[in-house]
Amino acid sequence: MNIYLIKNNIKLMCRSWFNILLFIIMPVVLVFCLSSAFDSLMKKYEETDITAGYRVEGDAVTEDMIEAMCEVAEDNDITLIEYPSGDPEKLIRDNELSGFIIFNDDTYTIYEDKDNKELGKALEYFVNSFYENATAAAMGVEVDPAKVTVEHPDFTPAIDSKDYYGIVEIIYFGWCAIVAGAGIFLNEKKYKIRKRFRVADVSPFQEYLGKFIPIAIVASLGTIIAAVLTVSLLGVHWGNIPLSVAIVVASVLAATAFELMIYNITDNLIATIIISFALVWIMGFFGGSFETYMFSSHPMTLKNISPIYHINRALTEISCMGHSDYMSSAFGYSGLIIVVSSFVSVIAGTIRKKGKV
């Protein structure tokens, strides 16, 4: 009986092919839009050479000192260009400089580019180091040449907008799995299929599996097809493919069970869609489906409550690092939702069946 129900429900779903097509196409379209809109915001920081202007206003700084400083600066990928006149801030804007140094008799002033403060700080560090070494050398103390030291501590690598949204929007739409099963529910009401189940003595558990399995199969295939489209059209990187597919499928199974639970409680497709989409939107809002979870200011407590956050984070970290500490919580959350939602669905189906006998 279960196999018959599964086959029959898959056929009913395929009659509503437009819903399934939207389920596949819409996330791809959204990935195109969001990855383009947030490309500049999420660009990876790359090593950048520093170009700065300078001017000498006094007699304490000699040409030999300036020449020595320019040589040391060049060794540190810093280019110094002399500008005898002009407003420092205007020169920075007009010439795309990282900063500007004005040397006086016994002091110096550094102007920084407001849009590249990190480079300005590096320039400030270099000039300060050079001055300290020059002063020590004048006093006869042996010093090492000024050097800008760069360290690379452990950190989570950046992920660009294409890969990020190419992953999280697939997951977000995967949580709208109820759309793929709309054909089942519409025909169930239209042809009064549930009454036939009661005559055939189909148990609530069998009836639940007859919906859960076909919706999960079609929604999983649709989600994977959408993911493949993002890979072929946008070059989205999913990292460890088998592991990523397993997380995606677990996520879709959880979404299917969760939304079937709502349907079995409300017994109304419109109410199910409204409630499901509202809850999924909230989970996606805190889970990074719209504003990236790296940049969002939401408390970690709210993020951790959202199963979508754990799934998004696991997949994005697998994409850029090859592993993630959130894999266990992503699978754990999905498994818990599947078990609890399935249990509630069967209980609700049993109560409804007894009430109509």
Side-chain angles (χ1 to χ4, degrees), residues 129-340:
S129 178
F130 180 84
Y131 251 77
E132 288 181 354
N133 289 343
T135 302
M139 297 173 61
V141 179
E142 185 176 349
V143 295
D144 295 328
K147 184 71 177 176
V148 177
T149 303
V150 179
E151 296 182 0
H152 299 281
D154 292 334
F155 70 104
T156 302
I159 183 170
D160 63 25
S161 62
K162 175 190 64 181
D163 289 342
Y164 181 84
Y165 285 108
I167 291 171
V168 302
E169 295 309 323
I170 294 297
I171 295 303
Y172 180 76
F173 273 85
W175 272 80
C176 300
I178 197 71
V179 172
I184 296 176
F185 307 115
L186 293 174
N187 285 282
E188 185 179 65
K189 295 287 186 181
K190 182 178 181 180
Y191 298 107
K192 299 180 181 180
I193 296 175
R194 191 175 292 170
K195 289 184 178 180
R196 300 181 185 182
F197 288 160
R198 287 201 294 269
V199 173
D201 196 27
V202 176
S203 70
F205 180 68
Q206 289 176 317
E207 186 178 345
Y208 171 75
L209 287 181
K211 294 187 181 77
F212 173 78
I213 293 176
I215 294 174
I217 290 173
V218 174
S220 295
L221 287 175
T223 303
I224 291 172
I225 291 171
V228 171
L229 288 175
T230 63
V231 173
S232 59
L233 297 176
L234 289 171
V236 174
H237 300 94
W238 284 81
N240 187 319
I241 300 299
L243 186 56
S244 295
V245 169
I247 295 174
V248 169
V249 171
S251 173
V252 174
L253 294 180
T256 303
F258 178 73
E259 288 161 357
L260 275 177
M261 176 189 70
I262 296 174
Y263 178 77
N264 282 329
I265 293 173
T266 62
D267 197 28
N268 185 290
L269 180 59
I270 301 300
T272 299
I273 291 175
I274 293 173
I275 295 171
S276 298
F277 284 16
L279 292 174
V280 169
W281 188 91
I282 292 171
M283 290 189 289
F285 179 75
F286 293 115
S289 297
F290 316 115
E291 182 184 19
T292 64
Y293 64 76
M294 295 91 76
F295 299 152
S296 69
S297 58
H298 309 310
M300 281 303 300
T301 303
L302 293 177
K303 293 181 182 179
N304 285 323
I305 290 174
S306 169
I308 291 180
Y309 170 74
H310 294 262
I311 296 164
N312 283 347
R313 183 152 184 180
L315 288 170
T316 52
E317 290 183 356
I318 290 172
S319 172
C320 60
M321 296 191 299
H323 62 86
S324 174
D325 294 334
Y326 280 77
M327 287 189 297
S328 56
S329 61
F331 282 118
Y333 247 121
S334 298
L336 181 63
I337 291 172
I338 293 169
V339 172
V340 173

Side-chain angles (χ1 to χ4, degrees), residues 52-69:
Y54 74 90
R55 180 188 306 149
V56 178
E57 296 180 351
D59 300 326
V61 179
T62 65
E63 291 185 7
D64 291 339
M65 289 181 62
I66 292 296
E67 184 178 347
M69 185 176 67

